[in-house]
Amino acid sequence: MNPWFELKNNKVNLLPIVENIIGLDPMMRFAAIIDLKGNISEAIMKEGKTSLKSQKEEEHFCKQVAMRRKIRQQFDKSLGPVNYVHIERLKITQIVVYPKRKTVYVTMEPNMDIKRKLKIVELIKKKTAKL
């Protein structure tokens, strides 16, 4: 059994998963698990960090993440499924991972070493593969 998965009323309790993701590195900022419609199932901001977006902007962004996932899936047959999405911005790094039935969206400080970012992506993929 994956230690990140905790059942609550026969459903996976997502809070420990986002807490574990946030705990992967001190430079992590935000972690969210989003359903296929773009609704936030669970999210957590790292203690001591403030959001760069309002709650309304965060919700809108998550809806957009779900729409972009559907668009990318149109190319799965010819190009293969998306491994992950990595966006570098001036103020933040955004990473999106696509387990089967959920989407994992995380942000981290942009000055984190790329090798560390890739290690975090692999850990998230491994730990959320059954979502």
Side-chain angles (χ1 to χ4, degrees):
M1 183 75 176
N2 188 331
W4 279 29
F5 286 93
E6 175 186 302
L7 291 179
K8 188 176 179 182
N9 300 328
N10 283 335
K11 286 187 171 184
V12 174
N13 183 4
L14 300 176
L15 182 59
I17 298 171
V18 292
E19 288 174 336
N20 278 298
I21 291 171
I22 279 290
L24 288 174
D25 193 277
M27 294 179 81
M28 299 294 289
R29 294 184 57 85
F30 177 77
I33 296 175
I34 304 165
D35 69 18
L36 295 176
K37 293 179 181 175
N39 301 307
I40 298 172
S41 300
E42 191 65 72
I44 192 167
M45 177 67 67
K46 182 89 164 211
E47 195 173 318
K49 302 283 184 182
T50 55
S51 181
L52 299 176
K53 298 187 292 260
S54 70
Q55 183 175 346
K56 193 172 190 110
E57 288 172 322
E58 199 70 68
E59 290 168 0
H60 176 71
F61 185 85
C62 289
K63 294 277 187 202
Q64 295 294 315
V65 165
M67 286 178 21
R68 286 190 289 272
R69 177 179 180 151
K70 287 179 185 162
I71 292 166
R72 288 185 179 105
Q73 286 175 329
Q74 296 172 15
F75 300 99
D76 283 0
K77 207 169 213 165
S78 59
L79 302 175
V82 171
N83 192 11
Y84 67 95
V85 178
H86 178 167
I87 303 154
E88 282 294 326
R89 296 184 179 269
L90 183 63
K91 296 180 180 180
I92 204 159
T93 295
Q94 299 169 300
I95 293 181
V96 182
V97 177
Y98 297 145
K100 285 183 172 89
R101 293 172 301 280
K102 298 284 186 186
T103 299
V104 180
Y105 166 61
V106 300
T107 65
M108 57 192 75
E109 300 297 337
N111 53 346
M112 184 188 292
D113 179 73
I114 187 67
K115 288 180 182 175
R116 181 66 186 143
K117 289 177 186 178
L118 292 173
K119 179 69 175 166
I120 289 169
V121 168
E122 290 307 314
L123 288 169
I124 292 170
K125 285 176 59 183
K126 186 176 179 181
K127 302 295 184 179
T128 61
K130 294 186 178 174
L131 286 182

